[in-house]
Amino acid sequence: MSHPGRPAPHRRRRSPAGLVLLVVVSVLFGAGLGVVGSWAYRTGWFERGEPVSFDAEGGPMAGEPAGDPGAKEARPDRAPSGAAAKTLLPTGPKAAFTTQNSIADGTRIAVTTLAGKKSGFTGKVWVWAPKEYFDPTYARSGFPVLIALPGGNGYPNNYWMGTDLKLQSSLATWSKEKRSHPFLVVMPVLNPDATHYYDGSDIPGQPRMGTWMTEDVPDFVRANFRTFTSRDGWAFMGSSSGAFVGLKSVLKHPDRFKAVIASGPDTVPDSPLWAGHEAERAANDPRKLADALSRQPSAPDKDVYLAFQVGSREANVQDVRRFAEKYGKGRVKTRLNVIRNGSHNAKTYVGGMAEGSIQWLSEHMQGPIAGP
């Protein structure tokens, strides 16, 4: 199984002396920590480990009306029928988030530890919500979810949680340019350890990483964020081994997930842990899953959308091309972007997303619905 090199570890931002002085002066002269906190949110300056409360910054939690509870326009009986009919408000219980990183527009990448009730696996999950999520215009609307998976071991970290690859800042820019929906980006660990690859599957006798990825992680997102009730608001993106997991998950569960951006993907389940479990391996083989769906007639509420990306200098260009061409029929809709001079790495794939992959994905997914 091929895997792109990991980016350099994220380095904690050191606080410039001037910023530290500003905080001290603000406290000494009675400006208050509230003012400092507001300034920090506007400027994107946060310390790693600070608590993050997404609902407190604009999103309603279970049992609460969206926006200002006292505002007439936020009353459930006055909510836009389109948004209300498609949106699932957070079900709870709330997770405890802390700051991992922040980007220039003031939004934060947060992290928490999720104990998967269905899989029995416990691991870290990072989350980023775009600025639009906190906009009162969308206070009663769900947001589409993009589950972003790394290549390599994907443990103990998911490299998309760093800012050096510019995934979140790029999505913010593309959203402003109307080339992308403002996605909630969810970044779980990919494997339970750094020794083996588990193919995002429930391999007999091993941690149930398929259940973790396709049930526990989505349940966690629904518990904490405004989402959509249908698969139209759920997609994966990933690179290399993470692309395999995203691709396989969409093909295996087309009733739950609608689309994937699969960059430099492996297309064969090749974990050595499958030895002796050939029937289970076949049930998680993207080729067999895609073949079955491609033989069924196309239907708008059942089709899946596979956006493949591969660098022109990668060894598996032809493999990815053959997969897209062979299975791109029936219920399987495919798009292939061969990235010029691209190689097998995450930065190449973010650049490829800007060339049309994220726009194509967005065109087939539900975006947030503005209120009156």
Side-chain angles (χ1 to χ4, degrees):
M1 183 176 284
S2 57
H3 311 284
R6 294 185 180 186
H10 177 75
R11 296 179 179 177
R12 181 174 176 174
R13 184 187 307 178
R14 296 185 181 273
S15 303
L19 296 181
V20 174
L21 179 62
L22 176 60
V23 174
V24 173
V25 171
S26 296
V27 174
L28 290 176
F29 286 90
L33 292 177
V35 173
V36 175
S38 175
W39 165 80
Y41 183 79
R42 291 196 309 272
T43 60
W45 183 78
F46 293 100
E47 284 293 334
R48 184 177 300 178
E50 287 184 352
V52 180
S53 178
F54 290 99
D55 57 308
E57 294 171 352
M61 290 305 296
E64 299 178 2
D68 180 0
K72 291 183 178 180
E73 60 269 25
R75 285 170 46 191
D77 61 341
R78 292 175 181 260
S81 58
K86 297 180 178 181
T87 296
L88 176 66
L89 294 182
T91 62
K94 293 186 289 185
F97 292 100
T98 56
T99 301
Q100 174 74 48
N101 289 307
S102 60
I103 67 174
D105 67 0
T107 54
R108 286 186 272 182
I109 301 170
V111 63
T112 191
T113 298
L114 170 64
K117 293 182 179 180
K118 297 177 180 177
S119 68
F121 172 71
T122 297
K124 287 185 177 181
V125 181
W126 292 262
V127 180
W128 175 76
K131 290 192 73 172
E132 290 89 343
Y133 188 82
F134 310 111
D135 186 338
T137 302
Y138 302 106
R140 293 206 64 82
S141 177
F143 273 70
V145 178
L146 193 63
I147 301 175
L149 305 179
N153 293 93
Y155 178 91
N157 294 322
N158 178 324
Y159 58 55
W160 294 116
M161 59 80 173
T163 57
D164 51 341
L165 295 174
K166 303 185 184 302
L167 175 63
Q168 293 81 9
S169 58
S170 295
L171 284 167
T173 297
W174 300 331
S175 178
K176 288 181 181 179
E177 297 172 348
K178 307 301 181 184
R179 293 196 289 156
S180 170
H181 288 321
F183 286 96
L184 289 166
V185 181
V186 181
M187 299 154 276
V189 293
L190 182 64
N191 290 296
D193 56 56
T195 304
H196 299 291
Y197 295 98
Y198 293 74
D199 284 343
S201 304
D202 290 355
I203 301 176
Q206 303 297 333
R208 301 176 64 199
M209 300 312 292
T211 299
W212 157 262
M213 198 66 69
T214 62
E215 296 190 47
D216 286 333
V217 170
D219 285 350
F220 153 81
V221 179
R222 284 186 284 265
N224 289 279
F225 297 91
R226 304 190 306 277
T227 56
F228 288 115
T229 57
S230 79
R231 72 187 191 111
D232 291 347
W234 293 85
F236 282 88
M237 66 82 67
S239 52
S240 194
S241 53
F244 169 88
V245 175
L247 174 65
K248 189 266 296 188
S249 297
V250 171
L251 292 170
K252 190 175 179 68
H253 304 288
D255 56 328
R256 304 179 199 171
F257 308 102
K258 190 173 188 179
V260 61
I261 297 177
S263 302
D266 301 301
T267 58
V268 179
D270 60 0
S271 170
L273 299 173
W274 286 116
H277 306 290
E278 292 310 310
E280 291 85 356
R281 185 205 299 261
N284 288 276
D285 190 327
R287 300 167 300 178
K288 296 182 182 298
L289 295 166
D291 182 61
L293 289 179
S294 70
R295 295 176 185 275
Q296 299 178 27
S298 175
D301 61 337
K302 295 182 178 181
D303 293 344
V304 294
Y305 296 84
L306 316 179
F308 291 101
Q309 297 193 140
V310 62
S312 63
R313 293 185 289 175
E314 292 192 52
N316 65 335
V317 173
Q318 293 307 315
D319 176 61
V320 174
R321 188 186 300 277
R322 282 193 296 268
F323 190 103
E325 292 176 350
K326 181 175 182 179
Y327 302 117
K329 55 188 176 181
R331 286 178 54 188
V332 181
K333 310 301 180 184
T334 62
R335 180 185 190 275
L336 173 61
N337 178 26
V338 178
I339 305 166
R340 185 177 180 183
N341 294 322
S343 55
H344 194 68
N345 65 75
K347 288 187 177 181
T348 287
Y349 302 142
V350 174
M353 290 171 69
E355 296 176 358
S357 298
I358 192 66
Q359 183 167 344
W360 187 78
L361 189 84
S362 296
E363 289 171 353
H364 296 291
M365 295 188 66
Q366 175 68 57
I369 304 168

